[in-house]
Amino acid sequence: MKFTRKHSVDQRLDQMTEKHVIVGIDIAKDKHAARMTNFRGRTLTPRHYAFTNDAHGFEQLLQWLNQAMQKHCLSTAIVGMEPTGHYWFNLAHWLLERGIKVVLVNPALTRRHKEDRDNSPAKNDPKDALVIADVVTRGYYTEYTPQDERFGRLKSAVLHRDMLVRNQTQTGNRIVRWIDLYFPEYSTVFKNWDGVRSLATLKSLQLPKELRRWSVDDFIRHWGEQGLQRPGGVSGRKRAAELIQAASGSIGDCRAPEEAILTLSHLLEMYELGKRQIEAVDQRLEELLRDLPQAEQLASLGSGMGPTVQAALLGLAGDLSSYRHGNQLLNRAGLSLATQRSGTYKGQVKLTKRGDSLLRKVLFLAVLCLVKDHPEFKTCHERNQARGMARKKSIICLIGKLARMLVAMANKGERYRPNLESNAA
């Protein structure tokens, strides 16, 4: 989705007139609750309106809204809702297709304003809907417009890849747990369990008490069956001998051997399936990036901006040319700075972390790669540390630099030019 940042709070308030009707909707899975006010926050209906989360319910909401607008001689509607979960997407797009303005309200604001009317911490759906309408009348909202289809498809693929990577990490941790439980000496032979020879070993692995009866030739034969090239080389025979020696003195759990082998077999199948799925998504991301000129601009920064990072940035941040300044991109990622001051007291400067956590992670990892491989970023990082700046603080500063560069390149339609960057530094 795309969040527009063209107007300040005062400008939003100036745009509201006595002809506006404000509708606050509390989103739920099955049934939503709506309350209606005028532009001053005065309620126009005595009760809330509940409607189901389907086409019939949406039509009833529109009918209720039109009847109230005719009764009170109002001409323009603004519908506000919280962007929590995913149940608001269909309603927001349905309303936009019918020409109704949709705005999004930060859930933190509704929590702070829920006691304004009745001075009570009580919470329910009708009250939440009225609080959302109140927040909109004060101008504390963000206009919502659908994201360009290309960026929307990219975001869907990026989120899917993130889910697959998290599942793959979880499966890998379970395999490590199995090794630690049933064959803890295995890590002395293979430092990395996910290496080619190690995976071939795990696929034919038995518990240590069974491996004690194996010979080196047995391992060579099993590795050959797994398709390993040159399974009987010098290093292969050495590994086989080390495995036999490790199994002879293993302290691994020997109970339930058949169930243990079945568990390992299923975990390895899940791991291999996850690898294929991630490779398929990566291929799809590269295909989607070909239709985005901004991907070439990001690629001009060098190896630190690989296809995966490009896709994550453009998918999560959207069209970079829609930002007027890099600080807006930082706000989107929750990387803006905040501090508390009162009188002579001055608190520490901290990150707000109110934004897209995945985008924040991608920006952080991208700068780590740039600091390692990009000459200009590496020079800036070394200069910051020479001045006494902590490493993590320097990385955060360079994230701000990267954000401003990305937005500037997108707005100007230019690729990265190292000569200009080095002169500016």
Side-chain angles (χ1 to χ4, degrees):
M1 61 183 170
K2 177 180 176 182
F3 296 90
T4 59
R5 299 167 172 80
K6 297 181 179 179
H7 307 295
S8 64
V9 174
D10 292 337
Q11 290 173 326
R12 298 186 194 117
L13 292 175
D14 292 338
Q15 292 176 356
M16 289 188 187
T17 66
E18 58 185 9
K19 294 297 184 181
H20 276 81
V21 58
I22 311 300
V23 180
I25 299 180
D26 184 67
I27 301 295
K29 178 179 180 179
D30 299 319
K31 185 173 288 188
H32 308 313
R35 293 296 297 269
M36 184 183 301
T37 69
N38 63 9
F39 78 110
R40 295 187 183 277
R42 179 173 296 178
T43 57
L44 301 180
T45 53
R47 295 176 56 85
H48 75 282
Y49 186 79
F51 61 99
T52 55
N53 188 23
D54 52 29
H56 179 65
F58 295 172
E59 291 289 351
Q60 288 183 326
L61 170 68
L62 186 59
Q63 184 179 0
W64 172 73
L65 177 59
N66 290 332
Q67 290 176 353
M69 291 175 65
Q70 292 177 2
K71 177 180 178 181
H72 297 280
C73 299
L74 302 173
S75 59
T76 307
I78 300 178
V79 178
M81 59 188 71
E82 293 177 338
T84 54
H86 57 274
Y87 300 114
W88 64 277
F89 279 105
N90 294 333
L91 176 59
H93 285 268
W94 191 89
L95 292 171
L96 287 174
E97 290 175 355
R98 283 147 185 82
I100 299 176
K101 183 177 180 180
V102 177
V103 299
L104 303 179
V105 175
N106 192 326
L109 291 177
T110 59
R111 287 194 295 269
R112 296 191 187 103
H113 289 280
K114 68 180 180 180
E115 300 184 26
D116 288 354
R117 284 182 176 260
D118 56 3
N119 193 30
S120 171
K123 183 182 184 303
N124 51 66
D125 293 347
K127 180 179 178 180
D128 289 346
L130 185 57
V131 172
I132 293 173
D134 283 340
V135 173
V136 174
T137 60
R138 301 178 188 184
Y140 301 135
Y141 62 80
T142 303
E143 297 180 16
Y144 171 71
T145 54
Q147 197 176 41
D148 185 283
E149 181 182 356
R150 297 172 299 173
F151 293 97
R153 296 170 65 184
L154 195 61
K155 181 177 181 180
S156 297
V158 168
L159 294 178
H160 181 55
R161 186 186 189 278
D162 179 66
M163 180 199 67
L164 292 176
V165 170
R166 285 188 279 108
N167 291 342
Q168 189 77 338
T169 302
Q170 188 179 39
T171 303
N173 292 337
R174 290 179 176 178
I175 294 176
V176 172
R177 177 187 179 277
W178 189 98
I179 294 174
D180 293 338
L181 187 62
Y182 294 101
F183 197 175
E185 297 80 10
Y186 185 85
S187 59
T188 62
V189 180
F190 294 103
K191 302 299 181 182
N192 299 320
W193 68 267
D194 55 349
V196 177
R197 190 178 292 274
S198 176
L199 286 175
T201 303
L202 291 174
K203 290 177 182 178
S204 57
L205 188 62
Q206 301 293 323
L207 293 183
K209 67 176 184 179
E210 298 293 335
L211 294 180
R212 296 167 188 169
R213 307 189 185 98
W214 283 32
S215 65
V216 173
D217 293 333
D218 291 331
F219 277 104
I220 301 301
R221 185 179 67 258
H222 278 281
W223 285 338
E225 294 174 354
Q226 295 296 330
L228 196 67
Q229 295 182 357
R230 298 185 70 249
V234 176
S235 62
R237 303 189 72 86
K238 178 182 178 182
R239 294 288 188 186
E242 292 175 349
L243 279 171
I244 296 173
Q245 183 179 0
S248 62
S250 177
I251 59 172
D253 188 1
C254 299
R255 296 170 295 178
E258 296 181 0
E259 290 74 15
I261 296 301
L262 180 64
T263 299
L264 178 61
S265 175
H266 288 174
L267 288 175
L268 290 173
E269 290 177 4
M270 292 169 58
Y271 186 80
E272 293 293 337
L273 175 62
K275 286 178 61 176
R276 293 194 299 270
Q277 290 175 336
I278 292 175
E279 291 173 357
V281 175
D282 287 341
Q283 183 178 0
R284 182 58 181 163
L285 289 175
E286 293 182 4
E287 295 174 358
L288 293 173
L289 287 174
R290 295 180 191 139
D291 298 331
L292 295 173
Q294 292 182 11
E296 299 180 1
Q297 297 173 347
L298 297 182
S300 64
L301 284 166
S303 59
M305 283 288 175
T308 304
V309 178
Q310 298 171 28
L313 283 174
L314 296 178
L316 299 173
D319 187 359
L320 295 175
S321 62
S322 65
Y323 299 87
R324 292 179 297 171
H325 194 277
N327 289 343
Q328 294 177 338
L329 178 58
L330 297 178
N331 291 335
R332 178 71 178 273
L335 288 169
S336 54
L337 301 179
T339 184
Q340 293 184 355
R341 295 185 180 183
S342 178
T344 58
Y345 172 78
K346 180 180 179 181
Q348 293 182 346
V349 179
K350 298 181 179 180
L351 297 176
T352 61
K353 293 186 178 181
R354 290 185 178 176
D356 192 329
S357 59
L358 184 55
L359 177 59
R360 185 163 62 247
K361 173 184 174 181
V362 170
L363 286 170
F364 187 83
L365 295 178
V367 170
L368 288 182
C369 294
L370 290 173
V371 165
K372 180 180 178 181
D373 300 326
H374 196 280
E376 283 74 18
F377 275 85
K378 184 176 182 180
T379 301
C380 291
H381 184 54
E382 293 174 350
R383 185 186 300 115
N384 290 338
Q385 290 187 308
R387 293 173 179 172
M389 187 180 296
R391 181 176 181 273
K392 188 174 182 180
K393 186 176 180 180
S394 175
I395 295 295
I396 298 300
C397 291
L398 292 177
I399 291 176
K401 181 183 183 68
L402 175 63
R404 291 187 289 271
M405 289 172 53
L406 297 179
V407 173
M409 288 191 300
N411 286 324
K412 296 180 180 179
E414 297 179 354
R415 296 167 60 90
Y416 173 72
R417 289 180 285 179
N419 292 333
L420 294 180
E421 177 62 24
S422 61
N423 292 335

